[in-house]
Amino acid sequence: MHDILARQRHAQQSDGPPSAALRIDRLDRAIGLLVDHADEIAHALRDDFGHRSVEGSLVTDVAASIEPLKHARSHVRSWMRRERRRVSPSALGLLGARAWVDYQPKGVVGVVSPWNFPFNLTFAPLAGILAAGNRAMIKPSEFTPRSSELMRRLIAQAFDASEVAVVVGGPEVGQAFTALPFDHLLFTGATSVARHVMRAASEHLVPVTLELGGKSPAIVARDADPDLAAARLMFGKTLNAGQVCVSPDYALVPRERVDAFVAALERAVRRMFPTLRDNPDYTAIVNERHHGRLRGLLDDAERQGATLRWLHPQHDMLGAQRIAPVAIVGVHDGMAVMQDEIFGPLLPVLPYDGIDDAIAQVNGRPRPLALYYFGDDAAEQERVLSRVTAGGVTLNDTVMHLTMDDLPFGGIGPSGMGAYHGIDGFRTFSHARGVYRQARLDVTRLIRPPYGPLIRRILRTRIKR
């Protein structure tokens, strides 16, 4: 890994910032890998998960990775342009002085990508990394070994190791990877692991972007259409069997409508999945450890008095490593299911007694990566938006803000720091270098010693309200 990093850094320094044409070529090569190997990617993911919807993988890990790369390809020339800035209106900033910002490549960017969307959460950030003119080293997850090895092989076919390289291995490799002196490090994963990543990066003062998760709430307003809200909420909750960082983690529903809304959730699930047993559209939990963790959350909730409302009649007919969608009612904060991100098809449904109560419940927890609100009352919608701080928001749907190339994607606090996607990704992986060019006239002589009456007159014009 040290040798690859040294080779990439030497190449970056020797070659200088890549031209727009070279950046577009690199983006094209990344797009070509996804287009030419789409089926291979989907089948590797299916094998890693035990079962994963092939069409779902083509949507989330292939098509949704191609779009940000194409977006960057279309806009990289304009993003690279020197950005003129206003010269401060002072005596020293007049008479021909100029100011601007150049966006320089940072150099070598390390990418630690997770198991839930191995290709999307590698190639989507690569759009900004490559558009910004960087080189990249990638460490994919050991939990999806077939996908990681396929990614290593494909990247090696399209890129020289001095441009983009993939390093595979277990936790010890990941630990050593995050300790490398990169010029920037992007980590996508659990908040608990992010603390170790940030600590390792701090040894070399490596700037980090952390894309984490947390308990993302869905607030269902009194005026929301229950069936439409349920359908859209359960799409986000069953996508990849809930193994999504922006999956709705719990739903807040008016107290008097909890039972009716759970019934709407059941109707939504049965429309999407007429059968569950051997259904090719319903994804498995990635491994036995995570499956056991989710079963433990259900057992703990039941032990403490919660009621499990299974949302499909075939919930007990699934094979190994699959869990049917289930609503959990009667939960409280002492239950494990309400303490950490669920990352599965379990949906606690909590009552609220007014929008301020719902807001207070959300704000009583760490700031989430995503916030969802269902309802058409504009004033209430704005109240939620202004009172809740979250990484990103989708109104009247779930997950969709993540697909917008022109919106920044990132968390805040425990749900992450920094953002990428579109121009925000380009800027995250660039150094915004400010440049000031002085006028030919020697105006700074006005503030050089020896001081006298002139500098005092200048100061009187500046030191005032």
Side-chain angles (χ1 to χ4, degrees):
M1 288 189 291
H2 284 277
D3 290 343
I4 296 171
L5 176 58
R7 182 178 172 188
Q8 290 198 358
R9 180 161 286 138
H10 175 74
Q12 187 79 352
Q13 293 171 351
S14 299
D15 297 347
S19 65
L22 180 52
R23 299 181 197 205
I24 290 170
D25 173 63
R26 288 172 176 169
L27 292 166
D28 274 330
R29 279 183 266 163
I31 293 167
L33 288 179
L34 295 166
V35 171
D36 294 342
H37 300 277
D39 289 338
E40 199 174 352
I41 290 168
H43 286 91
L45 287 164
R46 181 196 61 191
D47 293 344
D48 275 329
F49 275 73
H51 175 76
R52 195 183 199 233
S53 168
V54 169
E55 288 78 8
S57 292
L58 292 174
V59 169
T60 59
D61 273 272
V62 180
S65 301
I66 292 171
E67 287 306 313
L69 290 162
K70 286 183 175 179
H71 181 80
R73 182 180 65 184
S74 298
H75 293 87
V76 64
R77 291 184 188 276
S78 64
W79 295 344
M80 289 173 63
R81 288 182 192 139
R82 178 167 287 175
E83 185 178 302
R84 299 290 180 184
R85 293 292 178 92
R86 181 171 176 264
V87 174
S88 300
S90 67
L92 304 183
L94 300 176
L95 306 172
R98 297 289 182 269
W100 65 84
V101 174
D102 289 328
Y103 289 97
Q104 294 184 296
K106 285 190 172 179
V108 181
V109 178
V111 178
V112 180
S113 55
W115 54 263
N116 59 327
F117 295 105
F119 286 86
N120 177 265
L121 293 174
T122 298
F123 280 84
L126 268 181
I129 292 167
L130 298 179
N134 300 290
R135 295 159 195 264
M137 291 177 62
I138 300 160
K139 167 58 177 74
S141 174
E142 65 273 16
F143 286 171
T144 46
R146 296 170 184 84
S147 300
S148 296
E149 178 56 30
L150 175 61
M151 187 187 302
R152 186 200 64 77
R153 180 167 58 82
L154 295 181
I155 291 285
Q157 289 176 10
F159 294 92
D160 186 83
S162 65
E163 295 177 300
V164 183
V166 176
V167 177
V168 297
E172 69 288 346
V173 174
Q175 185 175 1
F177 186 90
T178 57
L180 292 171
F182 292 114
D183 299 301
H184 195 102
L185 179 63
L186 167 66
F187 170 80
T188 305
T191 302
S192 57
V193 179
R195 293 186 175 94
H196 300 288
V197 171
M198 197 170 181
R199 190 175 297 115
S202 71
E203 289 298 315
H204 298 287
L205 299 179
V206 176
V208 296
T209 299
L210 304 177
E211 298 298 344
L212 310 178
K215 299 191 77 61
S216 297
I219 300 175
V220 182
R222 281 184 167 81
D223 69 342
D225 179 325
D227 283 300
L228 183 60
R232 292 175 174 178
L233 195 156
M234 289 312 297
F235 164 71
K237 193 59 177 173
T238 59
L239 179 67
N240 205 35
Q243 298 165 110
V244 186
C245 59
V246 292
S247 175
D249 199 88
Y250 62 99
L252 288 160
V253 180
R255 186 175 299 276
E256 70 277 10
R257 300 187 182 180
V258 168
D259 287 340
F261 190 70
V262 170
L265 294 174
E266 182 176 356
R267 291 192 294 271
V269 169
R270 294 185 69 170
R271 280 193 297 270
M272 284 191 291
F273 307 103
T275 64
L276 272 186
R277 185 177 178 84
D278 300 323
N279 188 321
D281 294 335
Y282 195 69
T283 294
I285 305 304
V286 67
N287 56 35
E288 290 184 4
R289 181 169 74 86
H290 280 283
H291 184 271
R293 177 184 63 82
L294 293 170
R295 293 299 318 186
L297 294 179
L298 293 174
D299 292 344
D300 174 77
E302 274 199 304
R303 254 193 326 269
Q304 296 195 55
T307 301
L308 305 186
R309 300 276 295 273
W310 294 98
L311 301 177
H312 199 285
Q314 295 178 354
H315 65 88
D316 57 351
M317 298 171 61
L318 301 184
Q321 280 184 218
R322 291 203 203 187
I323 295 179
V326 55
I328 311 173
V329 296
V331 297
H332 57 73
D333 286 347
M335 297 177 182
V337 76
M338 289 306 300
Q339 293 172 7
D340 295 312
E341 184 178 10
I342 294 172
F343 230 65
L346 288 54
L347 181 70
V349 179
L350 284 69
Y352 72 84
D353 295 311
I355 197 60
D356 287 339
D357 177 31
I359 291 170
Q361 291 193 52
V362 174
N363 287 340
R365 299 182 170 86
R367 289 172 168 176
L369 182 58
L371 166 67
Y372 303 114
Y373 174 86
F374 294 89
D376 297 317
D377 185 321
E380 184 173 283
Q381 189 178 98
E382 286 301 321
R383 187 167 183 81
V384 171
L385 289 174
S386 66
R387 298 300 182 90
V388 176
T389 301
V393 180
T394 293
L395 302 173
N396 289 315
D397 209 334
T398 57
V399 180
M400 298 307 295
H401 66 285
L402 181 61
T403 69
M404 300 294 108
D405 291 321
D406 263 342
L407 289 179
F409 172 67
I412 177 168
S415 60
M417 63 177 65
Y420 65 95
H421 283 196
I423 192 170
D424 298 284
F426 173 85
R427 290 179 175 172
T428 287
F429 301 117
S430 298
H431 168 58
R433 182 184 64 186
V435 181
Y436 175 79
R437 187 183 70 192
Q438 186 58 280
R440 290 181 63 84
L441 186 66
D442 186 15
V443 293
T444 54
R445 68 180 176 82
L446 300 174
I447 58 171
R448 294 199 297 263
Y451 297 125
L454 178 59
I455 189 64
R456 287 191 286 273
R457 284 199 300 272
I458 292 172
L459 289 172
R460 281 197 296 272
T461 69
R462 295 288 169 257
I463 304 175
K464 63 181 182 180
R465 294 185 184 276

